[in-house]
Each structure stands twice: as structure tokens, then as C-alpha cells.
Amino acid sequence: MLKLKMSLKLKLILLVLLALIPLITLQLIRIRNQYKESIEEELKTSINFAETINLTFMNYLEESWAQQYAIGVAILSNPQWSSREIENYINNVFSEKKTFRRYSWVGSEGIVLASSSDALNGVNVQEMEFYTDIISGKERVVSNLGKSILDDDLVIHISRGIYVEDELKGILVGIMDIDKFSSIFNFQYVGASSGFGLIDTTGRIVYSHKHPNIPFHQRKINNDSPSLKALQGEIVTYDTAPSQFDGTNRLGVAYPMEKIGWASYYNVPTNEVIGKLLKSAKRDIVILLLTSIISLLLATMLGNRYAASIIKLKDAADEISKGNLKIKTKLTGKDEMAATSEAFNRMTEEINHQISQRDEIARLKTQFFSTVSHELKTPINIILGAIQLMESMDDFNKASIYKYINMQKQNSYRLLRLINNLIDISKIEGNQFVINPVNCDIVRLTEDITLSVVEYTKLKNIELIFDTDVEEKIMAVDPDKIERIVLNLVSNAIKFTQAGGKIEVNLRDKEAHIEISVKDTGIGIPEDMQQLIFQYFTQVDSSLRRKTEGSGIGLSLVKSLIDMHGGSIKVNSMLGEGSEFIIDLPVVLIDSVTQGSNETTFANVERINIEFSDIYL
């Protein structure tokens, strides 16, 4: 035992020492290369941030253009509007867009027809950049930085041409103050030393995060600025470019905005990045020393732990070999030892599960024979009883004979139904049961099946209603199997619905599929049984003193037949209020008639008698 523990300890300590030697070497190499990697990482971050700037501004422009288009269409759709009505409408729509100072509706000839500023009404804008761009064929335009025609404030124009059948009908213009850009780029995670902004096609700084109040004449970027290349469509990264405003070296990127011809930039002080590298190098050396010491301590601790874990696993294996299947190793963690412990536990659980499964199979066999025996015995007893009564009768009359013959006939149907269901279940489980789909009118088929059992519902004083929202729906189904499905559900509804109740059969067209529901006002199904009733031999009331007869096979067979059609069935029920079975079948068509099954078929009346054989009126 002691030898095992020492062996594991020594191996772990040796592994740690072997790992520390290349680790120290790699750490020194990493510190040497860290400068380059950090610069590259910072540049990647700068690129990602510049892309975020571009995406944010373009989203803002797209949103503005979309609103402008909607407003323009509304104006063109209401030619009776006056200039004041157009102004009111525009102001109302843009009431929450605080970044725009003014809005104007410009005619195709370049005259301001309506504006949120009265001073702009009637102004000719043919010489303005946004108008010439739209006249030249552009639909959406953002102009370069310029001074407002009403004052010296710096603004840009965001414009959208409104076309009808490729003919320009008007232009909607939004005039934006540059001091509103801060509300667009409201980034919470920008460092205090970071700088970013936008540059228009003329090389002027439209917006600067760190220097928002630059005079117009100082906004032109330097000739050696990396942003000039970005305006030509090139992504430019730099690590020592001097700032135009304070002369400090900056590290960052100039990124083109291809859709509008602008560029964005993002940068940080180069010294800030180098300072982080020095701190990181000192920290790494300290961590390396601490890691070496801690690793040796951990190797010793892990040696003890793994040795103890292996002993526990060995003891557990011994217990399992003795037949103790309830043993648990109880090793926690996420390592291989814990995984091995879990494997031991799963093994014992699986063995216990197989034993439980064997017991469950035995129980199901017993339940199956009990259910089938009861379902066979009941109709046979009735048939024999009727025969004995007929044999003991001295005075034969037609009514009595007819009564006892009907009793024998109904219970013969019941036996035939049970045997057919058992045969069908066997074929389904053996994949030998096939359906014969043909193109037919599902509406007429369902209605005919429903109406064929009206006499049964009348005898029990139950109202039967068929309703559909479509007169005809051609789809490929097996008519015999659909008839069997509907008859089974309706017979169940009759069986569990009291006199004076109501049964509704509804068919709804859902285009790609159809929905057939059978709804009753019967006794309902408990919630804990609603998923179990589609399993073989499951009955809501399985006692031998239940009020209604049934083998518990019908609904499971119904589900299997629906599954073969590619459909589904579900049940909604409230105990004491009734149940609704909803069938969903996909609408498909076939090109040719497929080979049908060799199942025994019966006339419609005979099939109804068989399906309704366990309903005693």
C-alpha cells in the first residue's frame, strides 16, 4: 500500500520538474515576443472597434434613410397636404430623433417645399452637395461636413431620394449637428486615453471623440495621415503615427467605410501599450516562480489524493465482485479518477436497471395476459350465457331469439376486434404492417365516417356534429385506416359521454396539413394519464369493476396508424369536462396508386359493428 502511494508521488513530482524546464524556457521566449504579439493584439482590437464604429454609424444612416423613405412615400400618397401639414407630419415622425436639427422636403427641381424651419421654405438647393449627388443617380446620400446655410454651425445632410417608377419625385433631407454624434457613439467601454472618430470624403474630421470642438479650418487631416489611404479603400494599421492635435505617438487603425466613401479611426497612446508590457513581464516572472513552488506542493497533494482514490476504487470493485450492487465510490471532481468513479457507479446502476427492467418485463407480461384474458373471457362468458339461456327456453319467441343472437353477434365482433388489434400490433412491431395511400377527398371521407354512426349516438341520446371549414381537400391517405382511426375515436367518445352530451368532429384546413378533432363532453382524462393512454394496454380505469369495456389497445393502434401517415395526435382534456383528440396529417399527393396491404377488409357497416362492439346500449 505504501509503495503505491510513493510511486504516484514520485511520478507526479518528476513530471512537474520535467514540465518546469521547458516552461521556463518558453516563458523567456514568450516575454521576448510579447511586444510584437501585444502590438498585433492591440491592432486587432482597434480593427474590431473601428468595425463597430462603422457598423453603428451605418445602422444609424440606414435607419434614418428608412424613416425618410416611409415619410416620402406618405407625402406622395397625400398630394392634398399643404406645406404646413407636411411639416407637422415630418416633425411628428421625427419627434424622438434628437440627432436631427431640421428636416426638409425638397421637390425634384431643387426647391424646399416644406421644412421644420420656416427660413428654409422656398430655398433653392440645386448647388448643394446632397442635391447634385441624388440628381446624378444616388438614392441615399450623406454629405460631407459643411456649414449651415442659416448659420455657421457645422452640419451634415442625410438625404433620401424618393422615386416612383424610376422618376425622382422628391428628396427628404435631415440636417444633423455634429455635436449630436456623441449620442450615436455612446460607448461605455472606451478608455480615457482612446480616441476615435469619422472622416468625410474631403479628408475633414467630422467627429472626434477626444476633440469634439475643433474649428472648421483645423479639421483637415495631415497629408501623412493614415486616414488618407483609408479614404481610398485600404485598411491601414499603425503603431507610431503622431497625433494631429498633441503630437503623441498613437497606435491604431484607419478603416474605410466603403458604402459612403468615409473613413473611421481608432487609436490609443503607444506608450500606454509598452507600459502594459513591462508590467506584464514583471508579473510573469513572479508568477513563474510561484507556479514552480505551488506545482511541487500540488504534485505531493495529488499523489496522496490519487493513491487514496485508487484504493477506494479497488475496494468498490471488490464489493461489486461479492454482489453488493449498491456500493458507491463517491469520488468527486472532474479528473480521470472521478470519471472512473462515475463509470463504476453507472455500471452498478445499469446492472440494477437491467434487473428492474427484467422485473418490469415480467410485470408487463403478467398485465398483458391478465388484460387479454379478461377481454377474451368477458365476451365468451356472454356468448355462453346467451347459448345456455336459449337452451333452457321452453317457449321460443322471435324477440328473445333475436336478443340473444344479437348478444352473441356483438360479443363475437368484440372478440374479432381484439384479435385483429393484436394481430395488427404484432405486424406493426415487426414492420410488416403497410398502408395503401390513395388521393381522395379527406373532407367527404371524414364526414361519411362520422355520419355513419349517427344511429349509435341517437340510441344513447348524444348529439353528434360534423363541421369543416373547407368543402374539399384532396390528399393521399389510406381510406380504410382513416376510417378505422375516426371510428375508434368516436366510439371512445360515445363510450365515455353520458346521455344528453355532445360529440363534435371538426376538420380544419391548415394549407400544408389538415387537422381533425374529435371533441366530447364526457368524463375527461386525468392529467397524469394523458400521455400514457397512447401506450399499449393503458386504461384510465384499469380495475375489473370499470363501467366501460376496452382492452387499452385502440388508442395505441390509432397513434401507430397516424404515425404511418406522417402525422401526429394529441389530447386536451379536463377531468369531468370532456376530452378533445386532435389529429394532424400532412397534405401530400401521390402520382400513382401504390400496392395496398393484404389486410382483411369489411363492409362499412361490419366495420362499425366491430369498432363499436364494446359499447353496450
Side-chain angles (χ1 to χ4, degrees):
M1 196 72 66
L2 182 61
K3 183 179 180 181
L4 176 64
K5 292 182 180 179
M6 291 302 296
S7 177
L8 284 174
K9 286 182 181 180
L10 290 175
K11 288 180 179 178
L12 287 173
I13 291 172
L14 181 61
L15 285 174
V16 170
L17 290 174
L18 291 174
L20 286 175
I21 294 173
L23 181 64
I24 294 172
T25 304
L26 291 173
Q27 184 68 10
L28 295 174
I29 296 174
R30 190 181 70 83
I31 292 174
R32 185 188 66 182
N33 296 331
Q34 194 171 22
Y35 174 80
K36 180 179 178 180
E37 294 173 357
S38 297
I39 293 295
E40 292 176 353
E41 186 65 28
E42 192 65 38
L43 289 176
K44 289 180 181 179
T45 301
S46 299
I47 291 174
N48 291 337
F49 202 97
E51 291 175 344
T52 301
I53 295 170
N54 290 2
L55 181 61
T56 302
F57 188 56
M58 289 308 302
N59 285 343
Y60 171 80
L61 291 178
E62 293 292 347
E63 178 186 348
S64 300
W65 285 328
Q67 289 179 325
Q68 289 174 331
Y69 178 77
I71 293 171
V73 171
I75 293 173
L76 294 178
S77 301
N78 295 275
Q80 76 280 4
W81 281 358
S82 65
S83 296
R84 183 61 61 187
E85 288 175 321
I86 294 175
E87 294 170 15
N88 292 337
Y89 177 72
I90 295 174
N91 286 332
N92 182 54
V93 173
F94 281 117
S95 60
E96 297 182 359
K97 204 169 186 68
K98 305 302 183 182
T99 53
F100 281 166
R101 170 188 286 189
R102 291 182 290 272
Y103 325 97
S104 298
W105 172 248
V106 180
S108 59
E109 300 299 325
I111 305 300
V112 178
L113 303 178
S115 176
S116 57
S117 175
D118 293 337
L120 290 176
N121 287 329
V123 172
N124 189 324
V125 297
Q126 292 180 356
E127 301 300 324
M128 298 189 72
E129 178 186 358
F130 75 85
Y131 181 79
T132 57
D133 284 346
I134 289 180
I135 289 297
S136 66
K138 294 182 179 179
E139 184 177 355
R140 293 174 286 189
V141 172
V142 54
S143 66
N144 293 313
L145 182 67
K147 294 183 178 180
S148 170
I149 61 176
L150 297 181
D151 48 45
D152 289 334
D153 290 344
L154 298 182
V155 297
I156 63 171
H157 297 86
I158 299 175
S159 310
R160 176 71 184 257
I162 310 301
Y163 292 83
V164 176
E165 296 181 354
D166 297 330
E167 181 182 354
L168 180 65
K169 295 296 184 179
I171 305 170
L172 198 67
V173 184
I175 303 169
M176 180 181 176
D177 285 331
I178 61 170
D179 58 2
K180 301 296 184 181
F181 272 95
S182 59
S183 63
I184 299 175
F185 302 111
N186 187 21
F187 301 138
Q188 303 296 324
Y189 49 87
V190 179
S193 60
S194 303
F196 66 89
L198 298 173
I199 300 171
D200 66 17
T201 59
T202 63
R204 284 191 173 87
I205 300 173
V206 179
Y207 171 69
S208 174
H209 165 63
K210 289 183 64 65
H211 308 280
N213 300 316
I214 310 171
F216 182 74
H217 66 279
Q218 294 181 4
R219 289 180 176 267
K220 192 75 173 178
I221 59 176
N222 296 333
N223 292 332
D224 59 349
S225 172
S227 298
L228 286 177
K229 292 184 179 180
L231 290 174
Q232 298 173 3
E234 181 180 349
I235 300 175
V236 184
T237 58
Y238 50 89
D239 57 7
T240 55
S243 169
Q244 183 169 330
F245 302 104
D246 55 21
T248 60
N249 284 330
R250 312 285 291 186
L251 178 149
V253 63
Y255 206 100
M257 303 175 69
E258 297 179 354
K259 289 186 178 181
I260 60 175
W262 287 19
S264 64
Y265 67 87
Y266 175 83
N267 54 48
V268 295
T270 304
N271 290 336
E272 182 177 303
V273 179
I274 295 176
K276 292 179 181 178
L277 289 174
L278 293 175
K279 292 180 180 179
S280 176
K282 293 178 181 178
R283 181 194 62 202
D284 290 344
I285 293 173
V286 172
I287 290 174
L288 184 61
L289 293 175
L290 291 175
T291 300
S292 301
I293 297 171
I294 293 172
S295 297
L296 293 173
L297 293 175
L298 287 176
T300 303
M301 294 172 59
L302 288 173
N304 292 330
R305 179 179 181 276
Y306 276 111
S309 299
I310 290 175
I311 292 171
K312 289 181 180 180
L313 291 173
K314 176 184 175 298
D315 293 341
D318 290 339
E319 288 296 317
I320 291 174
S321 66
K322 295 176 182 178
N324 182 7
L325 299 178
K326 296 183 179 180
I327 188 71
K328 298 291 183 180
T329 54
K330 298 182 180 179
L331 297 180
T332 59
K334 297 183 179 179
D335 56 11
E336 290 79 2
M337 300 303 297
T340 305
S341 172
E342 291 177 2
F344 265 91
N345 295 337
R346 286 196 300 270
M347 179 181 67
T348 57
E349 290 173 0
E350 180 62 25
I351 295 173
N352 281 321
H353 174 70
Q354 290 179 4
I355 294 174
S356 299
Q357 195 173 39
R358 181 190 63 192
D359 295 341
E360 177 66 14
I361 291 172
R363 187 190 66 81
L364 289 175
K365 284 183 178 179
T366 302
Q367 180 183 345
F368 169 77
F369 286 119
S370 176
T371 302
V372 173
S373 297
H374 174 74
E375 291 302 315
L376 289 172
K377 183 178 179 181
T378 300
I380 290 173
N381 284 339
I382 294 174
I383 293 171
L384 289 175
I387 293 173
Q388 290 172 357
L389 287 172
M390 291 178 67
E391 288 176 344
S392 63
M393 288 175 61
D394 294 329
D395 183 18
F396 289 92
N397 58 74
K398 187 174 182 180
S400 296
I401 293 174
Y402 182 75
K403 173 185 175 182
Y404 293 129
I405 289 176
N406 278 344
M407 289 173 61
Q408 296 176 60
K409 187 175 183 180
Q410 181 176 4
N411 283 277
S412 297
Y413 284 143
R414 185 174 171 186
L415 287 172
L416 184 58
R417 181 191 186 197
L418 176 61
I419 292 170
N420 284 341
N421 286 345
L422 291 173
I423 292 173
D424 289 342
I425 288 174
S426 177
K427 289 185 177 181
I428 289 171
E429 291 183 344
N431 294 322
Q432 296 177 344
F433 194 96
V434 295
I435 63 173
N436 180 27
V438 295
N439 295 331
C440 66
D441 182 3
I442 189 67
V443 179
R444 181 178 177 183
L445 176 62
T446 307
E447 183 177 12
D448 289 346
I449 298 169
T450 303
L451 298 181
S452 67
V453 300
V454 169
E455 293 302 321
Y456 278 87
T457 58
K458 286 182 178 179
L459 291 174
K460 202 173 176 182
N461 192 24
I462 295 174
E463 182 182 5
L464 178 62
I465 299 173
F466 175 80
D467 186 37
T468 178
D469 63 355
V470 62
E471 294 301 321
E472 183 182 63
K473 186 73 173 182
I474 303 299
M475 57 186 289
V477 295
D478 187 328
D480 289 340
K481 306 306 181 289
I482 295 298
E483 180 181 34
R484 195 165 176 183
I485 291 168
V486 175
L487 285 177
N488 185 283
L489 294 178
V490 173
S491 69
N492 282 345
I494 296 173
K495 191 188 307 181
F496 296 105
T497 300
Q498 301 298 325
K502 181 169 66 174
I503 299 173
E504 299 179 33
V505 179
N506 298 309
L507 188 146
R508 298 289 178 261
D509 184 9
K510 304 294 184 179
E511 300 296 336
H513 57 98
I514 63 103
E515 183 180 280
I516 302 172
S517 71
V518 178
K519 183 177 182 181
D520 62 58
T521 58
I523 62 175
I525 303 170
E527 186 174 355
D528 60 343
M529 294 294 296
Q530 291 181 16
Q531 296 303 318
L532 301 177
I533 58 175
F534 295 108
Q535 299 177 7
Y536 292 138
F537 308 113
T538 299
Q539 296 170 318
V540 175
D541 181 5
S542 59
S543 68
L544 296 179
R545 298 186 300 274
R546 56 183 181 269
K547 297 180 180 180
T548 57
E549 297 295 337
S551 61
I553 300 175
L555 285 177
S556 61
L557 190 58
V558 164
K559 185 178 185 305
S560 297
L561 295 177
I562 293 172
D563 289 342
M564 289 182 180
H565 282 82
S568 62
I569 183 171
K570 63 180 180 179
V571 61
N572 298 323
S573 182
M574 290 287 291
L575 196 61
E577 297 183 10
S579 305
E580 181 180 15
F581 287 84
I582 302 173
I583 302 169
D584 191 286
L585 293 175
V587 176
V588 295
L589 294 172
I590 57 176
D591 295 330
S592 60
V593 179
T594 59
Q595 181 64 34
S597 67
N598 295 324
E599 305 299 322
T600 303
T601 59
F602 299 89
N604 186 266
V605 174
E606 289 296 309
R607 177 161 293 158
I608 294 172
N609 288 334
I610 292 172
E611 291 295 335
F612 283 54
S613 60
D614 55 1
I615 299 177
Y616 294 97
L617 301 173

